[in-house]
Coordinates of all heavy atoms in Angstrom, one line a residue:
Chain A
G135 N -50.9 45.2 16.1 CA -51.9 44.2 16.3 C -51.2 42.8 16.5 O -51.6 42.0 17.4
C136 N -50.2 42.5 15.7 CA -49.5 41.3 15.8 C -48.7 41.2 17.1 O -48.7 40.1 17.8 CB -48.5 41.1 14.6 SG -49.3 40.7 13.1
F137 N -48.1 42.3 17.5 CA -47.3 42.2 18.8 C -48.2 41.8 20.0 O -47.9 40.9 20.7 CB -46.6 43.6 19.0 CG -45.9 43.7 20.3 CD1 -44.6 43.1 20.4 CD2 -46.4 44.3 21.4 CE1 -43.9 43.1 21.6 CE2 -45.7 44.3 22.6 CZ -44.5 43.8 22.7
F138 N -49.3 42.5 20.1 CA -50.2 42.3 21.3 C -50.9 40.9 21.1 O -51.1 40.2 22.0 CB -51.2 43.4 21.5 CG -50.5 44.6 22.1 CD1 -50.2 45.7 21.3 CD2 -50.1 44.7 23.4 CE1 -49.6 46.8 21.8 CE2 -49.5 45.8 24.0 CZ -49.2 46.9 23.1
G139 N -51.2 40.6 19.8 CA -51.9 39.3 19.5 C -51.0 38.2 19.9 O -51.5 37.2 20.5
V140 N -49.7 38.3 19.5 CA -48.8 37.2 19.8 C -48.6 37.0 21.3 O -48.7 35.9 21.9 CB -47.4 37.5 19.1 CG1 -46.3 36.6 19.7 CG2 -47.5 37.3 17.7
F141 N -48.5 38.2 22.0 CA -48.3 38.1 23.5 C -49.5 37.5 24.2 O -49.3 36.6 25.0 CB -48.0 39.6 24.0 CG -47.8 39.6 25.5 CD1 -46.6 39.2 26.0 CD2 -48.8 40.0 26.3 CE1 -46.4 39.3 27.3 CE2 -48.6 40.1 27.7 CZ -47.4 39.7 28.2
I142 N -50.7 37.9 23.8 CA -51.9 37.4 24.4 C -52.1 35.9 24.0 O -52.4 35.1 24.9 CB -53.1 38.2 24.0 CG1 -53.0 39.7 24.6 CG2 -54.4 37.6 24.5 CD1 -54.0 40.7 24.1
G143 N -51.9 35.6 22.7 CA -52.1 34.2 22.3 C -51.1 33.3 22.9 O -51.5 32.2 23.3
L144 N -49.9 33.7 23.0 CA -48.8 32.8 23.6 C -49.1 32.6 25.1 O -49.1 31.4 25.6 CB -47.5 33.5 23.4 CG -46.2 32.7 23.7 CD1 -46.1 31.6 22.6 CD2 -45.0 33.6 23.7
A145 N -49.4 33.7 25.8 CA -49.7 33.5 27.2 C -51.0 32.7 27.4 O -51.0 31.8 28.3 CB -49.9 34.9 27.8
S146 N -52.0 32.9 26.6 CA -53.3 32.2 26.7 C -53.1 30.7 26.5 O -53.6 29.8 27.2 CB -54.3 32.8 25.7 OG -55.5 32.3 26.0
G147 N -52.3 30.4 25.4 CA -52.1 28.9 25.1 C -51.1 28.3 26.0 O -51.1 27.0 26.1
Y148 N -50.3 29.0 26.6 CA -49.2 28.4 27.4 C -49.7 28.3 28.9 O -49.4 27.3 29.6 CB -47.9 29.2 27.3 CG -46.7 28.4 27.5 CD1 -46.2 27.5 26.5 CD2 -46.1 28.3 28.8 CE1 -45.2 26.7 26.7 CE2 -45.0 27.5 29.0 CZ -44.6 26.7 28.0 OH -43.5 25.8 28.2
L149 N -50.3 29.4 29.4 CA -50.7 29.4 30.8 C -52.0 28.6 31.0 O -52.2 28.0 32.1 CB -50.9 30.8 31.3 CG -49.6 31.7 31.3 CD1 -50.0 33.1 31.7 CD2 -48.6 31.1 32.2
L150 N -52.9 28.6 30.1 CA -54.2 28.0 30.2 C -55.0 28.4 31.4 O -54.7 29.5 31.9 CB -54.1 26.5 30.1 CG -53.6 25.9 28.8 CD1 -53.3 24.4 28.8 CD2 -54.5 26.2 27.6
F153 N -56.7 32.4 33.1 CA -56.2 33.4 32.2 C -56.7 33.1 30.8 O -57.2 34.0 30.1 CB -54.7 33.5 32.2 CG -54.1 34.5 31.3 CD1 -54.1 35.9 31.7 CD2 -53.7 34.2 30.0 CE1 -53.6 36.9 30.9 CE2 -53.2 35.2 29.2 CZ -53.1 36.5 29.6
D154 N -56.6 31.9 30.4 CA -57.0 31.5 29.0 C -58.5 31.6 28.9 O -59.0 32.2 27.9 CB -56.6 30.0 28.8 CG -57.0 29.5 27.4 OD1 -56.8 30.3 26.5 OD2 -57.6 28.4 27.3
T157 N -59.4 35.4 28.7 CA -58.9 36.0 27.4 C -59.8 35.5 26.3 O -60.1 36.3 25.4 CB -57.4 35.5 27.2 OG1 -56.7 35.7 28.4 CG2 -56.8 36.3 26.1
Q158 N -60.1 34.2 26.2 CA -60.9 33.7 25.1 C -62.3 34.4 25.1 O -62.8 34.7 24.0 CB -61.1 32.2 25.2 CG -59.8 31.5 24.9 CD -59.1 32.0 23.6 OE1 -59.7 31.9 22.6 NE2 -57.9 32.4 23.7
I161 N -61.9 37.8 23.7 CA -61.7 37.7 22.2 C -63.0 37.5 21.5 O -63.3 38.1 20.5 CB -60.6 36.6 21.9 CG1 -59.2 37.2 22.3 CG2 -60.7 36.2 20.4 CD1 -58.1 36.2 22.2
I196 N -56.1 42.4 16.9 CA -55.5 41.5 18.0 C -56.2 40.2 18.1 O -55.5 39.2 18.2 CB -55.5 42.3 19.3 CG1 -54.5 43.5 19.2 CG2 -55.1 41.4 20.5 CD1 -54.5 44.5 20.4
P197 N -57.5 40.1 18.2 CA -58.2 38.8 18.4 C -57.8 37.8 17.4 O -57.6 36.6 17.7 CB -59.7 39.1 18.4 CG -59.8 40.6 18.6 CD -58.5 41.2 18.1
N198 N -57.8 38.2 16.1 CA -57.4 37.2 15.0 C -56.1 36.6 15.3 O -55.9 35.4 15.2 CB -57.4 37.9 13.6 CG -58.8 38.3 13.2 OD1 -59.8 37.9 13.8 ND2 -58.9 39.2 12.3
V199 N -55.1 37.5 15.5 CA -53.7 37.0 15.8 C -53.7 36.1 17.0 O -53.1 35.0 17.0 CB -52.8 38.2 15.9 CG1 -51.3 37.7 16.1 CG2 -52.8 39.1 14.6
A200 N -54.3 36.6 18.1 CA -54.3 35.9 19.4 C -54.8 34.4 19.2 O -54.3 33.5 19.7 CB -55.0 36.6 20.4
R201 N -55.9 34.3 18.4 CA -56.6 33.0 18.2 C -55.6 32.0 17.5 O -55.4 30.9 17.9 CB -57.8 33.2 17.3 CG -59.1 33.5 18.1 CD -59.9 32.2 18.3 NE -60.6 32.3 19.5 CZ -61.9 32.8 19.6 NH1 -62.5 33.2 18.5 NH2 -62.5 32.9 20.8
I202 N -55.0 32.5 16.4 CA -54.1 31.7 15.7 C -52.9 31.2 16.5 O -52.5 30.1 16.6 CB -53.6 32.4 14.4 CG1 -54.8 32.8 13.5 CG2 -52.6 31.6 13.6 CD1 -55.3 31.8 12.6
I203 N -52.3 32.2 17.2 CA -51.1 31.9 18.0 C -51.4 31.0 19.1 O -50.7 30.1 19.5 CB -50.4 33.2 18.5 CG1 -50.0 34.1 17.4 CG2 -49.3 32.9 19.5 CD1 -48.9 33.5 16.5
R204 N -52.6 31.2 19.7 CA -53.0 30.3 20.8 C -53.2 28.8 20.4 O -52.6 27.9 21.0 CB -54.4 30.8 21.4 CG -54.9 29.9 22.5 CD -56.3 30.3 23.0 NE -56.8 29.4 23.9 CZ -57.6 28.3 23.6 NH1 -57.8 28.1 22.4 NH2 -58.0 27.5 24.6
S205 N -53.8 28.7 19.2 CA -54.0 27.3 18.8 C -52.7 26.6 18.4 O -52.5 25.4 18.6 CB -55.0 27.2 17.6 OG -54.5 27.9 16.5
N206 N -51.8 27.4 17.8 CA -50.5 26.9 17.5 C -49.7 26.5 18.8 O -49.0 25.5 18.9 CB -49.7 27.9 16.7 CG -49.8 27.7 15.3 OD1 -49.3 26.8 14.7 ND2 -50.7 28.5 14.7
T207 N -49.8 27.4 19.8 CA -49.1 27.2 21.1 C -49.6 25.9 21.8 O -48.8 25.2 22.3 CB -49.3 28.4 22.0 OG1 -48.9 29.6 21.3 CG2 -48.4 28.3 23.2
L208 N -50.9 25.7 21.7 CA -51.5 24.5 22.3 C -50.9 23.3 21.8 O -50.7 22.3 22.5 CB -53.1 24.5 22.1 CG -53.9 25.5 23.0 CD1 -55.3 25.4 22.6 CD2 -53.7 25.1 24.4
R211 N -46.9 23.1 22.7 CA -46.5 22.9 24.1 C -46.4 21.4 24.4 O -45.8 21.0 25.4 CB -47.4 23.7 25.1 CG -48.8 23.1 25.2 CD -49.7 24.1 25.9 NE -49.2 24.5 27.2 CZ -49.6 23.9 28.3 NH1 -50.3 22.8 28.3 NH2 -49.1 24.3 29.5
W227 N -41.2 30.5 31.0 CA -41.2 31.7 30.1 C -40.1 31.6 29.1 O -40.3 32.0 27.9 CB -41.0 33.0 30.9 CG -42.3 33.5 31.4 CD1 -42.8 33.6 32.6 CD2 -43.4 34.0 30.5 NE1 -44.1 34.0 32.6 CE2 -44.5 34.3 31.4 CE3 -43.5 34.1 29.1 CZ2 -45.7 34.8 30.9 CZ3 -44.7 34.6 28.7 CH2 -45.8 34.9 29.5
V234 N -41.1 28.0 21.8 CA -42.5 28.0 21.2 C -42.7 29.1 20.2 O -43.1 28.9 19.1 CB -43.6 28.0 22.3 CG1 -44.9 28.0 21.7 CG2 -43.4 26.8 23.2
L235 N -42.3 30.3 20.7 CA -42.6 31.5 19.8 C -42.0 31.4 18.4 O -42.7 31.7 17.5 CB -42.1 32.8 20.6 CG -42.4 34.1 19.8 CD1 -43.9 34.3 19.6 CD2 -41.8 35.3 20.6
T238 N -44.1 29.6 15.9 CA -45.4 30.2 15.5 C -45.2 31.3 14.5 O -46.2 31.9 14.0 CB -46.2 30.8 16.7 OG1 -45.4 31.8 17.2 CG2 -46.4 29.8 17.8

Side-chain angles (χ1 to χ4, degrees):
Chain A
C136 284
F137 176 78
F138 286 103
V140 164
F141 181 75
I142 294 168
L144 194 67
S146 190
Y148 209 80
L149 297 176
L150 296 174
F153 181 81
D154 181 43
T157 313
Q158 288 312 302
I161 285 173
I196 294 173
N198 293 344
V199 180
R201 273 264 150 90
I202 301 276
I203 298 297
R204 177 185 176 270
S205 63
N206 269 284
T207 307
L208 281 177
R211 73 197 298 274
W227 273 113
V234 178
L235 181 62
T238 61

